[in-house]
Amino acid sequence: MTNLILLITLTLLPAFISIMFIPYWTRKTESFGVSIPADIYDTSALKSMRKKYTIIIGVISLLTICVFLGYGLFTNMSESMVGWLVGTTITLFMIISFMIYLIFHQKMKQIKSTAKWGRQRTQKLAIHTQFRQQKLRYSNNWFIVPFVLIFSTIILTFLSYEHIPEKIPMQYNFQGEITNFATKSYRTVLALPITQLYLILIFIFVNTLTGKAKQQLSAENPEKSMHQNTIFRRRWSAFTIYGGIILSMLLSTVQLSFIYSIPQGFLITTAVITVFAIIIWAFILSYKTGQGGSRVTVSMDSNGKTVNRDDDRYWKLGQFYVNKDDPTIFIEKRFGIGWTMNWGRPISWVIVIGFILITLGIVLLTI
């Protein structure tokens, strides 16, 4: 149990550190969910705010880890209780960190209101006519690889159905011991490949929106912003594709363990290393690229006299984009890495509800 607690802690650390440094990874035209001129980003006042936020979240992260370790290591807990502890820890951390963010968000709004940057400079919405002509993402044809893996696994499962044990292992503890079985049937032996197919379809969806999401360029230097945003999308597209392939390989290996004798210790170790590697990869990618490619170095000067059109009114709490007049569904986050949805469009809610219903259906199928 001690090893399990330590492993979970090691997995949580990159996520906590990522949240600490979000203010440094956002675009230089945004600060704590508030739009600002790019040249204001490096002023002493905003530097101080970013530093304070990082320190506060860092202290909260450290306290959270200490409480988690203390409760997990010095309390006689079952593995099911460990799952409850992890869920509770993450939920409380996210609530507290969001409350801290709101404090800084409100302070940033006050600073902007006092400074009146928008009245002193020309506001423009930058649109580059050649943006969609760039190679913004890599082809979905790469997902042929996981599809071949999945269908090969399905065929092999059917061919070897008679050799699969009557009791299929469905859950293991950290020591590699089987803690839950399912009676063999075509539904149970195909549950994992069906889950794989669903996950790959999600990866395809994410990779597609990487290229289709709203064009968001800096009015101060549209050309530079276009280059940065193109690199940003390509890098995350590669992460999505290779992450999907690696995850598919892992799940196919688990499926093959129903047919062939594969040591459970090997499966668990491989799964842990794979998950941890993907988390570290995402962390490094966020650090090196930043939101919208803001940390990508491109040598182009800006005039500093033009700023992005102020659309703060559409960003509720600086994180939730609500604009029924904007036909765009997907848009870059203002605080964080990646994309969010336009909650002012009904189709956004349809997509989310659809994903939830399909996920619940997959879960019910595997029970």
Side-chain angles (χ1 to χ4, degrees):
M1 189 61 67
T2 298
N3 291 338
L4 176 59
I5 295 296
L6 293 176
L7 178 62
I8 293 173
T9 301
L10 190 63
T11 304
L12 290 176
L13 277 174
F16 286 0
I17 294 173
S18 297
I19 294 175
M20 285 172 54
F21 290 100
I22 284 179
Y24 293 93
W25 295 347
T26 55
R27 287 172 171 267
K28 291 189 175 183
T29 53
E30 293 154 3
S31 177
F32 295 102
V34 178
S35 61
I36 61 172
D39 58 329
I40 302 297
Y41 180 85
D42 288 320
T43 58
S44 58
L46 267 63
K47 284 182 178 179
S48 177
M49 285 183 66
R50 291 194 292 272
K51 184 177 180 180
K52 288 180 180 178
Y53 175 88
T54 300
I55 292 174
I56 292 173
I57 297 298
V59 171
I60 293 173
S61 299
L62 182 61
L63 291 174
T64 302
I65 291 295
C66 289
V67 171
F68 176 77
L69 283 174
Y71 200 87
L73 295 178
F74 301 106
T75 304
N76 187 18
M77 303 180 67
S78 63
E79 288 203 0
S80 60
M81 288 297 292
V82 171
W84 173 87
L85 177 61
V86 172
T88 302
T89 300
I90 294 176
T91 300
L92 289 176
F93 177 81
M94 296 304 295
I95 292 174
I96 294 173
S97 62
F98 184 72
M99 292 174 64
I100 298 299
Y101 157 80
L102 287 180
I103 294 174
F104 281 83
H105 173 68
Q106 292 299 325
K107 184 177 180 180
M108 191 67 243
K109 288 178 66 176
Q110 293 173 2
I111 293 175
K112 179 177 179 178
S113 177
T114 302
K116 299 178 181 179
W117 296 311
R119 298 181 183 180
Q120 300 171 358
R121 311 187 190 201
T122 303
Q123 296 184 27
K124 289 184 178 181
L125 175 63
I127 299 294
H128 204 299
T129 56
Q130 296 181 345
F131 182 76
R132 296 296 174 188
Q133 299 176 16
Q134 306 297 311
K135 186 178 180 180
L136 300 176
R137 65 172 176 84
Y138 295 102
S139 173
N140 282 331
N141 290 336
W142 283 101
F143 288 105
I144 292 176
V145 176
F147 274 122
V148 170
L149 278 172
I150 294 169
F151 285 108
S152 297
T153 304
I154 291 175
I155 293 172
L156 186 58
T157 299
F158 275 112
L159 294 176
S160 306
Y161 184 79
E162 297 300 324
H163 302 288
I164 298 175
E166 291 300 319
K167 294 292 185 180
I168 303 172
M170 299 297 289
Q171 186 176 348
Y172 303 87
N173 60 22
F174 191 68
Q175 286 72 38
E177 300 168 343
I178 301 172
T179 57
N180 188 25
F181 289 92
T183 303
K184 182 176 73 171
S185 68
Y186 285 107
R187 180 177 65 85
T188 54
V189 299
L190 292 178
L192 191 54
I194 290 174
T195 302
Q196 283 181 268
L197 284 172
Y198 177 53
L199 290 175
I200 293 302
L201 289 175
I202 291 178
F203 279 111
I204 292 175
F205 176 77
V206 172
N207 190 52
T208 300
L209 77 86
T210 298
K212 298 293 185 180
K214 184 177 182 178
Q215 176 184 165
Q216 188 171 336
L217 305 179
S218 171
E220 295 184 42
N221 197 328
E223 197 72 30
K224 173 182 176 180
S225 183
M226 184 182 73
H227 285 292
Q228 289 177 320
N229 199 265
T230 299
I231 294 172
F232 166 72
R233 297 190 188 217
R234 286 178 185 172
R235 288 181 179 179
W236 280 105
S237 174
F239 173 83
T240 302
I241 291 171
Y242 290 119
I245 293 173
I246 292 171
L247 184 60
S248 181
M249 291 173 64
L250 174 63
L251 295 179
S252 289
T253 303
V254 175
Q255 179 74 7
L256 291 177
S257 69
F258 299 161
I259 306 170
Y260 303 104
S261 179
I262 299 177
Q264 302 306 323
F266 170 79
L267 287 177
I268 294 174
T269 302
T270 303
V272 169
I273 292 175
T274 300
V275 172
F276 189 71
I278 290 176
I279 292 174
I280 294 299
W281 183 9
F283 176 83
I284 295 174
L285 190 55
S286 299
Y287 171 76
K288 296 289 290 184
T289 308
Q291 177 67 321
S294 59
R295 296 180 66 86
V296 176
T297 302
V298 178
S299 299
M300 293 182 183
D301 297 328
S302 61
N303 55 42
K305 298 179 181 179
T306 304
V307 296
N308 291 335
R309 187 176 64 183
D310 193 329
D311 61 350
D312 285 356
R313 64 188 182 279
Y314 298 122
W315 287 91
K316 310 306 178 184
L317 303 179
Q319 293 203 34
F320 306 101
Y321 186 68
V322 183
N323 184 358
K324 64 180 181 180
D325 297 321
D326 187 347
T328 303
I329 305 300
F330 299 99
I331 187 171
E332 286 184 26
K333 292 181 179 179
R334 276 203 167 183
F335 192 75
I337 301 294
W339 289 268
T340 185
M341 302 182 78
N342 180 3
W343 301 109
R345 304 293 296 181
I347 187 63
S348 296
W349 294 97
V350 172
I351 291 173
V352 171
I353 293 173
F355 272 123
I356 293 174
L357 292 176
I358 295 174
T359 302
L360 288 175
I362 296 293
V363 171
L364 292 174
L365 177 67
T366 58
I367 295 177

